[in-house]
Coordinates of all heavy atoms in Angstrom, one line a residue:
M1328 N 33.8 78.3 89.0 CA 34.0 79.8 89.1 C 34.7 80.1 90.4 O 35.6 81.0 90.4 CB 32.6 80.4 89.1 CG 32.7 81.9 89.1 SD 33.4 82.4 87.5 CE 32.6 83.9 87.2
Q1329 N 34.4 79.4 91.5 CA 35.1 79.6 92.7 C 36.6 79.3 92.6 O 37.5 80.0 93.1 CB 34.6 78.7 93.8 CG 34.2 79.4 95.0 CD 33.5 78.5 96.1 OE1 33.5 77.3 95.9 NE2 33.1 79.0 97.1
L1330 N 37.0 78.3 91.8 CA 38.4 77.9 91.6 C 39.1 79.1 90.9 O 40.2 79.4 91.2 CB 38.5 76.6 90.8 CG 39.9 76.1 90.5 CD1 40.6 75.8 91.7 CD2 39.8 74.9 89.6
C1331 N 38.4 79.7 89.9 CA 39.0 80.8 89.2 C 39.3 82.0 90.1 O 40.4 82.6 90.0 CB 38.0 81.2 88.1 SG 38.7 82.5 87.0
W1332 N 38.4 82.3 91.1 CA 38.7 83.4 92.0 C 39.8 83.0 92.9 O 40.6 83.9 93.3 CB 37.4 83.7 92.8 CG 36.4 84.5 92.1 CD1 35.2 84.1 91.5 CD2 36.5 85.9 91.8 NE1 34.6 85.1 90.9 CE2 35.4 86.2 91.1 CE3 37.5 86.9 92.1 CZ2 35.1 87.5 90.6 CZ3 37.2 88.1 91.6 CH2 36.1 88.5 90.9
K1333 N 39.9 81.8 93.4 CA 41.0 81.4 94.2 C 42.3 81.5 93.5 O 43.3 82.0 94.1 CB 40.8 79.9 94.7 CG 39.7 79.8 95.8 CD 39.6 78.4 96.2 CE 38.4 78.2 97.2 NZ 38.2 76.8 97.6
L1334 N 42.4 81.1 92.3 CA 43.6 81.2 91.5 C 44.0 82.7 91.3 O 45.2 83.0 91.4 CB 43.5 80.5 90.1 CG 43.5 79.0 90.2 CD1 43.2 78.4 88.8 CD2 44.9 78.5 90.7
A1335 N 43.0 83.5 91.0 CA 43.3 84.9 90.8 C 43.8 85.6 92.1 O 44.8 86.3 92.1 CB 42.0 85.6 90.4
L1336 N 43.2 85.2 93.2 CA 43.7 85.7 94.5 C 45.1 85.2 94.8 O 46.0 86.0 95.3 CB 42.7 85.3 95.6 CG 43.0 85.7 97.0 CD1 43.0 87.3 97.1 CD2 42.1 85.2 98.0
M1337 N 45.4 84.0 94.6 CA 46.7 83.5 94.8 C 47.8 84.2 93.9 O 48.9 84.5 94.4 CB 46.8 81.9 94.6 CG 46.1 81.2 95.7 SD 46.0 79.4 95.4 CE 47.6 78.9 94.9
M1338 N 47.4 84.4 92.7 CA 48.3 85.2 91.8 C 48.6 86.6 92.3 O 49.7 87.0 92.2 CB 47.7 85.2 90.3 CG 47.7 83.8 89.6 SD 49.3 83.2 89.4 CE 49.9 84.3 88.1
M1339 N 47.5 87.2 92.8 CA 47.7 88.6 93.3 C 48.6 88.6 94.5 O 49.5 89.5 94.6 CB 46.4 89.2 93.6 CG 45.6 89.6 92.4 SD 43.9 90.4 92.7 CE 43.8 90.8 94.4
V1340 N 48.5 87.7 95.4 CA 49.3 87.5 96.6 C 50.8 87.3 96.1 O 51.7 87.9 96.6 CB 48.8 86.4 97.5 CG1 49.8 86.1 98.6 CG2 47.5 86.9 98.2
L1341 N 50.9 86.4 95.2 CA 52.3 86.1 94.7 C 52.9 87.3 94.1 O 54.1 87.5 94.3 CB 52.2 84.9 93.7 CG 53.5 84.4 93.1 CD1 54.4 83.8 94.2 CD2 53.3 83.4 92.1
V1342 N 52.2 88.0 93.3 CA 52.7 89.2 92.7 C 53.1 90.3 93.7 O 54.2 90.9 93.7 CB 51.7 89.8 91.6 CG1 52.1 91.2 91.2 CG2 51.6 88.9 90.4
C1343 N 52.3 90.4 94.7 CA 52.6 91.4 95.8 C 53.9 91.0 96.6 O 54.7 91.8 96.9 CB 51.4 91.5 96.8 SG 50.0 92.4 96.0
V1344 N 53.9 89.7 96.9 CA 55.1 89.3 97.7 C 56.4 89.4 96.8 O 57.4 89.8 97.3 CB 54.9 87.8 98.1 CG1 56.2 87.2 98.7 CG2 53.8 87.7 99.2
T1345 N 56.3 89.1 95.6 CA 57.5 89.2 94.7 C 57.9 90.6 94.6 O 59.1 91.0 94.6 CB 57.2 88.6 93.3 OG1 56.7 87.2 93.5 CG2 58.4 88.6 92.4
A1346 N 56.9 91.5 94.4 CA 57.2 93.0 94.3 C 57.9 93.5 95.6 O 58.8 94.3 95.5 CB 56.0 93.7 94.0
Q1347 N 57.5 93.1 96.7 CA 58.1 93.5 98.0 C 59.5 93.0 98.1 O 60.4 93.7 98.6 CB 57.2 93.1 99.2 CG 55.9 93.9 99.3 CD 55.1 93.4 100.4 OE1 55.4 92.3 101.1 NE2 54.0 94.1 100.7
Q1348 N 59.7 91.8 97.7 CA 61.0 91.2 97.9 C 62.0 91.9 96.9 O 63.2 92.0 97.2 CB 61.0 89.7 97.6 CG 60.4 88.9 98.7 CD 60.4 87.4 98.4 OE1 60.7 87.0 97.3 NE2 60.1 86.6 99.5
S1349 N 61.6 92.3 95.8 CA 62.5 93.0 94.9 C 63.0 94.3 95.4 O 64.1 94.8 95.1 CB 61.9 93.1 93.5 OG 60.8 94.1 93.6
N1350 N 62.3 95.0 96.3 CA 62.7 96.2 96.9 C 63.6 96.0 98.1 O 64.3 96.9 98.5 CB 61.5 97.0 97.3 CG 60.7 97.5 96.1 OD1 61.2 97.7 95.1 ND2 59.4 97.8 96.3
Y1351 N 63.7 94.8 98.6 CA 64.5 94.5 99.8 C 65.9 94.3 99.3 O 66.2 93.5 98.4 CB 64.0 93.3 100.5 CG 64.8 92.9 101.6 CD1 64.9 93.6 102.8 CD2 65.6 91.7 101.6 CE1 65.7 93.3 103.9 CE2 66.4 91.3 102.6 CZ 66.4 92.1 103.8 OH 67.2 91.7 104.8
R1352 N 66.9 95.0 99.9 CA 68.3 94.9 99.6 C 69.0 94.2 100.7 O 69.0 94.7 101.8 CB 68.9 96.2 99.3 CG 68.3 96.9 98.1 CD 69.1 98.1 97.8 NE 70.5 97.8 97.4 CZ 71.5 98.6 97.5 NH1 71.3 99.8 98.0 NH2 72.7 98.2 97.2
R1353 N 69.6 93.0 100.4 CA 70.4 92.3 101.4 C 71.8 92.7 101.1 O 72.2 92.9 100.0 CB 70.2 90.8 101.2 CG 68.9 90.3 101.6 CD 68.7 88.9 101.2 NE 68.6 88.9 99.7 CZ 68.7 87.8 99.0 NH1 69.0 86.7 99.5 NH2 68.5 87.9 97.7
P1354 N 72.6 92.7 102.2 CA 74.0 93.0 102.1 C 74.7 91.9 101.3 O 74.4 90.7 101.5 CB 74.6 93.1 103.5 CG 73.6 92.4 104.3 CD 72.2 92.5 103.6
T1355 N 75.5 92.3 100.3 CA 76.2 91.2 99.5 C 77.5 90.8 100.2 O 77.9 89.7 100.0 CB 76.5 91.8 98.1 OG1 77.3 93.0 98.3 CG2 75.2 92.0 97.3
R1356 N 78.0 91.7 101.0 CA 79.2 91.3 101.7 C 79.3 92.1 103.1 O 79.1 93.3 103.1 CB 80.4 91.7 100.9 CG 81.7 91.3 101.5 CD 82.9 91.6 100.6 NE 84.1 91.2 101.2 CZ 85.3 91.5 100.8 NH1 85.4 92.2 99.7 NH2 86.3 91.1 101.4
V1357 N 79.4 91.3 104.1 CA 79.5 91.9 105.4 C 80.9 92.1 105.8 O 81.7 91.2 105.8 CB 78.8 91.0 106.5 CG1 78.8 91.6 107.9 CG2 77.3 90.8 106.1
G1358 N 81.3 93.3 106.2 CA 82.7 93.6 106.6 C 82.9 93.1 108.0 O 82.1 93.3 108.9
V1359 N 84.1 92.5 108.2 CA 84.4 92.1 109.6 C 85.7 92.7 109.9 O 86.7 92.7 109.2 CB 84.6 90.5 109.6 CG1 85.1 90.1 110.9 CG2 83.3 89.8 109.2
S1360 N 85.7 93.4 111.1 CA 86.9 94.1 111.6 C 87.5 93.3 112.7 O 87.1 93.4 113.8 CB 86.5 95.5 112.0 OG 87.7 96.1 112.5
C1361 N 88.4 92.4 112.4 CA 89.1 91.6 113.4 C 90.5 91.2 112.9 O 90.8 91.4 111.7 CB 88.3 90.4 113.7 SG 88.1 89.2 112.4
C1362 N 91.2 90.5 113.7 CA 92.5 90.0 113.3 C 92.3 88.7 112.6 O 91.8 87.7 113.2 CB 93.4 89.8 114.5 SG 93.9 91.4 115.3
K1363 N 92.8 88.6 111.4 CA 92.7 87.3 110.6 C 94.0 86.6 110.6 O 94.1 85.5 110.2 CB 92.2 87.6 109.2 CG 90.8 88.2 109.2 CD 90.3 88.6 107.9 CE 88.9 89.2 107.9 NZ 88.8 90.5 107.5
E1364 N 95.0 87.3 111.1 CA 96.4 86.7 111.2 C 97.1 87.4 112.3 O 96.8 88.6 112.6 CB 97.2 86.7 109.9 CG 97.3 88.0 109.3 CD 98.0 87.9 108.0 OE1 97.7 87.0 107.2 OE2 98.9 88.8 107.7
V1365 N 98.1 86.8 113.0 CA 98.8 87.4 114.1 C 100.3 87.3 113.9 O 100.8 86.5 113.1 CB 98.4 86.7 115.4 CG1 97.0 86.9 115.8 CG2 98.7 85.2 115.4
S1366 N 101.0 88.1 114.7 CA 102.4 88.1 114.6 C 103.0 87.6 116.0 O 102.4 87.9 117.0 CB 102.9 89.5 114.4 OG 104.3 89.6 114.5
R1367 N 104.1 86.8 115.9 CA 104.7 86.4 117.2 C 105.8 87.4 117.6 O 106.4 87.3 118.6 CB 105.3 85.0 117.0 CG 104.2 83.9 116.9 CD 104.8 82.6 116.9 NE 105.4 82.2 118.2 CZ 104.7 81.7 119.2 NH1 103.4 81.5 119.1 NH2 105.4 81.3 120.3
A1368 N 106.1 88.4 116.7 CA 107.2 89.3 116.9 C 106.9 90.2 118.1 O 105.7 90.7 118.3 CB 107.4 90.2 115.7
R1369 N 107.9 90.4 119.0 CA 107.7 91.2 120.1 C 107.5 92.7 119.8 O 108.2 93.2 118.8 CB 109.0 91.1 121.0 CG 109.0 91.9 122.3 CD 110.3 91.8 123.0 NE 110.6 90.4 123.4 CZ 110.3 89.9 124.6 NH1 109.8 90.6 125.5 NH2 110.7 88.6 124.9
I1370 N 106.6 93.4 120.4 CA 106.4 94.8 120.2 C 107.5 95.5 121.0 O 107.6 95.3 122.2 CB 105.0 95.2 120.7 CG1 103.9 94.4 119.9 CG2 104.8 96.7 120.5 CD1 102.5 94.6 120.4
P1371 N 108.2 96.4 120.4 CA 109.3 97.1 121.1 C 108.7 97.9 122.2 O 107.6 98.5 122.2 CB 109.9 98.0 120.0 CG 109.5 97.4 118.7 CD 108.2 96.7 119.0
L1372 N 109.5 98.1 123.3 CA 109.1 98.8 124.5 C 108.9 100.3 124.1 O 108.3 101.1 124.8 CB 110.1 98.7 125.6 CG 110.1 97.3 126.2 CD1 111.2 97.1 127.2 CD2 108.8 96.9 126.8
T1373 N 109.5 100.8 123.0 CA 109.4 102.2 122.6 C 108.0 102.5 122.0 O 107.7 103.6 121.9 CB 110.5 102.5 121.6 OG1 110.4 101.6 120.5 CG2 111.9 102.4 122.2
V1374 N 107.3 101.4 121.7 CA 105.9 101.6 121.1 C 105.0 101.8 122.3 O 104.9 101.0 123.2 CB 105.5 100.4 120.3 CG1 104.0 100.6 119.8 CG2 106.4 100.2 119.1
K1375 N 104.3 103.0 122.3 CA 103.4 103.3 123.4 C 102.1 102.7 123.2 O 101.4 103.0 122.2 CB 103.2 104.8 123.5 CG 102.3 105.2 124.7 CD 102.1 106.7 124.8 CE 101.2 106.9 126.0 NZ 100.7 108.3 126.0
L1376 N 101.7 101.8 124.1 CA 100.4 101.1 124.0 C 99.4 101.8 124.9 O 99.8 102.2 126.0 CB 100.6 99.6 124.4 CG 101.5 98.8 123.6 CD1 101.7 97.4 124.2 CD2 101.1 98.7 122.1
V1377 N 98.2 101.9 124.4 CA 97.2 102.6 125.2 C 96.1 101.6 125.7 O 95.2 102.0 126.4 CB 96.5 103.7 124.4 CG1 97.6 104.8 124.1 CG2 95.9 103.2 123.1
G1378 N 96.1 100.4 125.2 CA 95.1 99.4 125.6 C 95.3 98.1 124.8 O 96.1 98.0 124.0
Y1379 N 94.4 97.1 125.2 CA 94.5 95.9 124.6 C 93.1 95.2 124.7 O 92.3 95.6 125.5 CB 95.6 94.9 125.1 CG 95.2 94.3 126.4 CD1 94.7 93.0 126.5 CD2 95.4 95.0 127.6 CE1 94.3 92.4 127.7 CE2 95.0 94.4 128.8 CZ 94.5 93.1 128.9 OH 94.2 92.5 130.0
K1380 N 92.9 94.1 123.9 CA 91.7 93.4 123.9 C 92.0 91.9 123.5 O 92.9 91.7 122.7 CB 90.7 94.0 123.0 CG 89.4 93.2 122.8 CD 88.4 93.9 121.9 CE 88.6 93.5 120.4 NZ 87.6 94.0 119.5
Q1381 N 91.4 91.0 124.1 CA 91.6 89.6 123.7 C 90.5 89.2 122.7 O 89.3 89.5 123.0 CB 91.5 88.7 124.9 CG 91.8 87.2 124.5 CD 92.1 86.3 125.7 OE1 92.1 86.8 126.8 NE2 92.3 85.1 125.4
Q1382 N 90.9 88.6 121.6 CA 89.9 88.2 120.6 C 89.9 86.7 120.5 O 90.9 86.1 120.4 CB 90.3 88.8 119.2 CG 89.6 88.3 118.1 CD 90.1 88.8 116.8 OE1 89.9 90.0 116.4 NE2 90.8 88.0 116.0
N1383 N 88.7 86.2 120.5 CA 88.5 84.7 120.4 C 88.3 84.4 118.9 O 87.8 85.2 118.2 CB 87.3 84.2 121.2 CG 87.5 84.4 122.7 OD1 88.7 84.3 123.2 ND2 86.5 84.8 123.4
A1384 N 88.7 83.2 118.6 CA 88.6 82.7 117.2 C 87.1 82.5 116.9 O 86.4 81.8 117.6 CB 89.4 81.4 117.0
L1385 N 86.7 83.1 115.8 CA 85.4 82.8 115.2 C 85.5 83.2 113.7 O 85.6 84.4 113.4 CB 84.3 83.7 115.9 CG 82.9 83.5 115.4 CD1 82.4 82.0 115.6 CD2 81.9 84.4 116.2
S1386 N 85.6 82.2 112.9 CA 86.0 82.4 111.5 C 85.3 83.6 110.9 O 84.1 83.8 111.1 CB 85.6 81.1 110.7 OG 86.1 81.2 109.4
P1387 N 86.0 84.4 110.2 CA 87.4 84.4 109.8 C 88.4 84.9 110.8 O 89.6 84.9 110.5 CB 87.4 85.2 108.5 CG 86.5 86.3 108.8 CD 85.4 85.6 109.7
C1388 N 88.0 85.3 112.0 CA 88.9 85.8 113.0 C 89.7 84.7 113.7 O 89.2 83.6 113.7 CB 88.1 86.6 114.0 SG 87.0 87.8 113.3
V1389 N 90.9 85.0 114.2 CA 91.7 84.0 114.9 C 91.9 84.5 116.3 O 91.7 85.7 116.7 CB 93.0 83.9 114.2 CG1 92.9 83.3 112.8 CG2 93.8 85.2 114.1
D1390 N 92.4 83.6 117.2 CA 92.7 83.9 118.6 C 93.8 85.0 118.5 O 94.8 84.8 117.7 CB 93.3 82.7 119.3 CG 92.1 81.8 119.8 OD1 91.0 82.4 120.1 OD2 92.3 80.6 119.9
A1391 N 93.7 86.1 119.2 CA 94.7 87.1 119.2 C 94.6 88.0 120.4 O 93.5 88.1 121.1 CB 94.5 88.0 117.9
I1392 N 95.7 88.6 120.7 CA 95.7 89.8 121.7 C 95.9 91.0 120.8 O 96.9 91.1 120.0 CB 96.9 89.7 122.7 CG1 96.7 88.4 123.5 CG2 96.9 90.9 123.6 CD1 95.6 88.4 124.5
I1393 N 94.9 91.9 120.8 CA 95.0 93.1 120.0 C 95.5 94.2 120.9 O 94.8 94.6 121.8 CB 93.6 93.5 119.4 CG1 93.1 92.3 118.6 CG2 93.8 94.7 118.5 CD1 91.6 92.5 118.2
F1394 N 96.7 94.7 120.6 CA 97.3 95.9 121.3 C 96.9 97.1 120.5 O 97.1 97.1 119.3 CB 98.8 95.7 121.4 CG 99.2 94.7 122.4 CD1 99.7 93.4 121.9 CD2 99.2 94.9 123.7 CE1 100.1 92.4 122.8 CE2 99.6 93.9 124.6 CZ 100.0 92.7 124.2
Y1395 N 96.5 98.2 121.2 CA 96.2 99.4 120.6 C 97.2 100.5 120.9 O 97.6 100.6 122.0 CB 94.8 99.9 121.1 CG 93.7 99.0 120.6 CD1 93.2 98.0 121.5 CD2 93.1 99.1 119.4 CE1 92.2 97.2 121.1 CE2 92.1 98.3 119.0 CZ 91.6 97.3 119.8 OH 90.6 96.5 119.5
T1396 N 97.7 101.2 119.8 CA 98.5 102.4 120.0 C 97.5 103.5 119.8 O 96.3 103.4 119.6 CB 99.7 102.4 119.0 OG1 99.1 102.5 117.7 CG2 100.5 101.1 119.1
E1397 N 98.1 104.7 119.8 CA 97.2 105.9 119.5 C 96.7 105.9 118.1 O 95.7 106.6 117.9 CB 98.0 107.2 119.9 CG 98.2 107.3 121.4 CD 99.0 108.6 121.7 OE1 99.5 109.3 120.8 OE2 99.1 108.8 122.9
K1398 N 97.4 105.3 117.2 CA 97.0 105.4 115.8 C 96.5 104.1 115.1 O 95.8 104.1 114.1 CB 98.2 105.9 115.0 CG 98.5 107.3 115.3 CD 99.6 107.9 114.4 CE 99.9 109.3 114.8 NZ 100.9 109.9 114.0
N1399 N 97.0 102.9 115.7 CA 96.6 101.7 115.0 C 96.5 100.5 116.0 O 96.6 100.7 117.2 CB 97.5 101.3 113.8 CG 99.0 101.2 114.3 OD1 99.3 101.2 115.5 ND2 99.9 101.1 113.4
K1400 N 96.3 99.3 115.4 CA 96.2 98.1 116.3 C 97.3 97.1 115.8 O 97.6 97.1 114.6 CB 94.8 97.5 116.3 CG 94.4 96.9 115.0 CD 93.0 96.4 115.1 CE 92.6 95.6 113.8 NZ 91.3 95.1 113.8
I1401 N 97.7 96.3 116.7 CA 98.7 95.3 116.4 C 98.1 93.9 116.9 O 97.8 93.7 118.0 CB 100.0 95.6 117.2 CG1 100.6 96.9 116.8 CG2 101.1 94.5 116.8 CD1 101.7 97.4 117.7
C1402 N 98.0 93.0 115.9 CA 97.5 91.7 116.2 C 98.6 90.7 116.6 O 99.5 90.5 115.8 CB 96.8 91.1 115.0 SG 95.4 92.1 114.5
S1403 N 98.6 90.3 117.9 CA 99.7 89.4 118.4 C 99.2 88.0 118.7 O 98.0 87.9 119.2 CB 100.3 90.1 119.6 OG 100.9 91.3 119.2
D1404 N 100.1 87.1 118.6 CA 99.8 85.7 119.0 C 99.7 85.6 120.5 O 100.6 85.9 121.2 CB 100.9 84.8 118.4 CG 100.6 83.3 118.6 OD1 99.7 83.0 119.4 OD2 101.3 82.5 118.0
P1405 N 98.5 85.1 121.0 CA 98.4 85.1 122.5 C 99.3 84.0 123.1 O 99.5 84.1 124.3 CB 96.9 84.7 122.6 CG 96.4 84.1 121.3 CD 97.3 84.7 120.3
D1406 N 99.8 83.1 122.3 CA 100.7 82.1 122.8 C 102.2 82.5 122.8 O 103.1 81.8 123.3 CB 100.6 80.8 122.0 CG 99.2 80.2 122.2 OD1 98.6 80.4 123.3 OD2 98.7 79.6 121.3
A1407 N 102.5 83.7 122.3 CA 103.9 84.2 122.3 C 104.3 84.4 123.7 O 103.6 84.8 124.6 CB 104.0 85.5 121.5
R1408 N 105.6 84.0 124.0 CA 106.1 84.0 125.4 C 106.2 85.4 126.0 O 106.1 85.5 127.2 CB 107.5 83.3 125.4 CG 107.4 81.9 125.1 CD 108.7 81.1 125.4 NE 109.8 81.8 124.7 CZ 111.1 81.5 125.0 NH1 111.4 80.6 125.9 NH2 112.1 82.1 124.4
W1409 N 106.3 86.4 125.2 CA 106.5 87.8 125.8 C 105.1 88.4 126.1 O 105.1 89.5 126.8 CB 107.2 88.6 124.8 CG 106.5 88.8 123.4 CD1 106.7 88.0 122.4 CD2 105.5 89.7 123.1 NE1 105.9 88.4 121.3 CE2 105.2 89.5 121.8 CE3 105.0 90.8 123.7 CZ2 104.2 90.2 121.1 CZ3 104.0 91.6 123.0 CH2 103.7 91.3 121.7
I1410 N 104.0 87.9 125.7 CA 102.7 88.5 125.9 C 102.4 88.7 127.4 O 102.0 89.9 127.8 CB 101.6 87.7 125.3 CG1 101.7 87.7 123.7 CG2 100.2 88.1 125.7 CD1 101.3 89.0 123.1
P1411 N 102.5 87.7 128.3 CA 102.1 88.0 129.7 C 102.8 89.2 130.4 O 102.2 90.0 131.1 CB 102.4 86.7 130.4 CG 102.4 85.6 129.3 CD 102.9 86.3 128.1
A1412 N 104.2 89.3 130.1 CA 104.9 90.4 130.7 C 104.4 91.7 130.2 O 104.3 92.7 130.9 CB 106.4 90.2 130.4
R1413 N 104.2 91.8 128.9 CA 103.7 93.0 128.3 C 102.3 93.4 128.8 O 102.0 94.6 129.0 CB 103.7 92.9 126.7 CG 103.6 94.3 126.0 CD 104.9 95.1 126.4 NE 104.7 96.5 126.0 CZ 105.2 97.0 124.9 NH1 105.9 96.3 124.1 NH2 105.0 98.3 124.6
L1414 N 101.5 92.4 129.0 CA 100.1 92.7 129.5 C 100.3 93.2 131.0 O 99.5 94.2 131.3 CB 99.3 91.5 129.5 CG 98.8 91.0 128.1 CD1 98.0 89.7 128.2 CD2 98.0 92.1 127.4
R1415 N 101.2 92.7 131.8 CA 101.4 93.2 133.1 C 101.8 94.6 133.1 O 101.4 95.4 133.9 CB 102.4 92.3 133.9 CG 101.8 91.1 134.5 CD 102.8 90.5 135.5 NE 104.1 90.1 134.9 CZ 104.4 89.0 134.2 NH1 103.5 88.1 134.1 NH2 105.6 88.8 133.7
D1416 N 102.8 94.9 132.2 CA 103.3 96.3 132.1 C 102.2 97.2 131.7 O 102.1 98.3 132.3 CB 104.4 96.4 131.1 CG 105.7 95.6 131.5 OD1 105.8 95.3 132.7 OD2 106.5 95.3 130.6
L1417 N 101.4 96.8 130.8 CA 100.3 97.6 130.3 C 99.2 97.9 131.4 O 98.8 99.0 131.6 CB 99.6 97.0 129.1 CG 98.6 97.9 128.4 CD1 99.1 99.2 128.0 CD2 98.0 97.1 127.2
K1418 N 98.9 96.8 132.2 CA 98.0 97.0 133.3 C 98.5 97.9 134.4 O 97.8 98.7 134.9 CB 97.7 95.6 133.9 CG 96.8 94.8 133.0 CD 96.6 93.4 133.7 CE 95.8 92.5 132.7 NZ 95.6 91.1 133.2
E1419 N 99.8 97.9 134.6 CA 100.4 98.8 135.6 C 100.3 100.2 135.2 O 100.0 101.1 135.9 CB 101.9 98.4 135.9 CG 102.1 97.1 136.6 CD 103.5 96.7 136.7 OE1 104.4 97.5 136.3 OE2 103.8 95.6 137.2
I1420 N 100.5 100.5 133.9 CA 100.4 101.8 133.3 C 99.0 102.3 133.4 O 98.7 103.4 133.8 CB 100.9 101.8 131.9 CG1 102.4 101.6 131.8 CG2 100.5 103.2 131.2 CD1 102.9 101.4 130.4
V1421 N 98.0 101.4 133.1 CA 96.6 101.8 133.2 C 96.2 102.1 134.7 O 95.5 103.1 134.9 CB 95.7 100.7 132.6 CG1 94.3 101.0 132.9 CG2 96.0 100.6 131.1
D1422 N 96.7 101.3 135.6 CA 96.4 101.5 137.0 C 97.0 102.8 137.5 O 96.4 103.4 138.4 CB 96.9 100.3 137.8 CG 96.1 99.0 137.6 OD1 95.0 99.1 137.1 OD2 96.6 97.9 137.9
E1423 N 98.2 103.1 137.1 CA 98.8 104.4 137.5 C 98.0 105.6 137.0 O 97.9 106.6 137.7 CB 100.2 104.5 136.9 CG 101.2 103.6 137.6 CD 102.6 103.7 137.0 OE1 102.8 104.5 136.0 OE2 103.5 102.9 137.4
D1424 N 97.4 105.5 135.8 CA 96.6 106.6 135.3 C 95.3 106.8 136.0 O 94.8 107.9 136.0 CB 96.3 106.4 133.8 CG 97.6 106.5 132.9 OD1 98.6 107.1 133.4 OD2 97.6 106.1 131.8
N1425 N 94.8 105.7 136.6 CA 93.5 105.8 137.3 C 93.8 106.2 138.7 O 93.8 106.8 139.5 CB 92.8 104.5 137.3 CG 92.3 104.2 135.9 OD1 92.0 105.1 135.1 ND2 92.2 102.9 135.6

């Protein structure tokens, strides 16, 4: 008789756990907002940049320098030869504003 009660209790616990799990919703797809590819093309000086950020590679993201304009972002290759000069120019503009 004791075995019967133990089995009944185990079944009730199993039913409760299963019922709780069915109400739990896991995300099926997590959105990642990062640069997944970069461009080596030079950004024209006529494009007004308002900031930048360095992004490290962590799949699916790649190493990148993300330049921000007032409306969008530009993913650039951090190894491109023109990047250091453009970063210096951008830092000078930011320093002048402060």
Side-chain angles (χ1 to χ4, degrees):
M1328 189 66 149
Q1329 232 178 3
L1330 180 62
C1331 187
W1332 281 105
K1333 286 181 182 178
L1334 286 174
L1336 181 61
M1337 285 176 50
M1338 290 297 288
M1339 286 180 14
V1340 168
L1341 183 63
V1342 167
C1343 289
V1344 169
T1345 304
Q1347 287 177 352
Q1348 286 181 348
S1349 67
N1350 291 334
Y1351 175 71
R1352 293 187 64 204
R1353 290 173 286 165
T1355 56
R1356 185 172 178 194
V1357 178
V1359 177
S1360 177
C1361 67
C1362 295
K1363 296 177 180 118
E1364 55 186 39
V1365 293
S1366 170
R1367 291 187 69 85
R1369 183 183 297 262
I1370 299 172
L1372 293 174
T1373 56
V1374 174
K1375 183 181 178 192
L1376 300 175
V1377 295
Y1379 78 96
K1380 173 175 92 169
Q1381 183 166 358
Q1382 171 184 287
N1383 296 323
L1385 183 58
S1386 185
C1388 308
V1389 297
D1390 282 330
I1392 300 292
I1393 305 171
F1394 289 102
Y1395 294 97
T1396 67
E1397 291 179 352
K1398 294 185 180 182
N1399 57 9
K1400 69 180 185 180
I1401 303 167
C1402 300
S1403 298
D1404 185 347
D1406 296 327
R1408 292 190 308 167
W1409 59 270
I1410 294 285
R1413 194 63 193 260
L1414 290 177
R1415 273 193 307 275
D1416 294 344
L1417 187 56
K1418 286 178 185 175
E1419 288 174 9
I1420 292 170
V1421 171
D1422 290 341
E1423 287 176 5
D1424 291 343
N1425 291 332

